[in-house]
Amino acid sequence: MFGYSLSLLVLLFFRPEGQVYSYNLIPFSTILSYLSNEMNGLVSFYNLSANVGLFIPFGLYLLSREGKEPSAIKKFLYPLLSISGIEICQFLFRRGSLDVDDLILNMIGVYLGYVLYPLFTRVAVFRSGKVKG
């Protein structure tokens, strides 16, 4: 998970120069612009799927690292605070845009990880060395 997180941070913070830095604090405005075909369809698909898909492993990891089911508060606050921190850092260091829709999509990815966790425990061996299920 450390290697995955490091790779994701490189992807998020080491971007080409000359990008436009902005912020969006209006929920769903970027998502709706992607879905309304205002942009290239491939670009829209890539941005939406990457913002969701890249965060699925974090949901899987959070459930696998706890000895018991984490509380609903932990399942919400850990990813919310982490992703918010990433978004703010991207904006402050001018390495991306602060976008509430990225936060929403990333949280959906984490929650998909939670939903997919039972399936992954059937096909993957987690830290305990035992296959669950």
Side-chain angles (χ1 to χ4, degrees), residues 4-47:
Y4 182 80
S5 298
L6 186 61
S7 299
L8 188 59
L9 288 175
V10 167
L11 177 69
L12 294 171
F13 287 98
F14 293 94
R15 296 172 174 249
E17 294 297 322
Q19 290 189 344
V20 176
Y21 302 102
S22 62
Y23 64 92
N24 168 43
L25 301 177
I26 302 169
F28 303 104
S29 65
T30 304
I31 295 169
L32 290 174
S33 74
Y34 286 144
L35 295 175
S36 69
N37 294 323
E38 289 179 22
M39 299 183 173
N40 176 296
L42 186 58
V43 171
S44 296
F45 175 77
Y46 171 79
N47 281 309

Side-chain angles (χ1 to χ4, degrees), residues 91-127:
F91 183 72
L92 291 176
F93 297 122
R94 301 188 62 78
R95 291 293 175 197
S97 299
L98 173 67
D99 193 335
V100 69
D101 288 348
D102 286 350
L103 172 68
I104 292 167
L105 292 167
N106 296 163
M107 289 293 289
I108 289 170
V110 171
Y111 273 82
L112 270 173
Y114 296 158
V115 169
L116 294 172
Y117 181 75
L119 174 66
F120 277 85
T121 59
R122 294 186 184 279
V123 296
V125 176
F126 284 100
R127 225 192 299 193

Side-chain angles (χ1 to χ4, degrees), residues 39-83:
M39 299 183 173
N40 176 296
L42 186 58
V43 171
S44 296
F45 175 77
Y46 171 79
N47 281 309
L48 291 170
S49 62
N51 272 304
V52 173
L54 289 172
F55 283 81
I56 291 172
F58 293 105
L60 296 171
Y61 175 72
L62 183 61
L63 292 185
S64 72
R65 77 185 237 334
E66 296 284 333
K68 58 182 172 35
E69 177 81 13
S71 68
I73 300 263
K74 284 183 181 179
K75 288 166 82 173
F76 179 75
L77 281 182
Y78 286 175
L80 178 71
L81 294 175
S82 300
I83 295 166

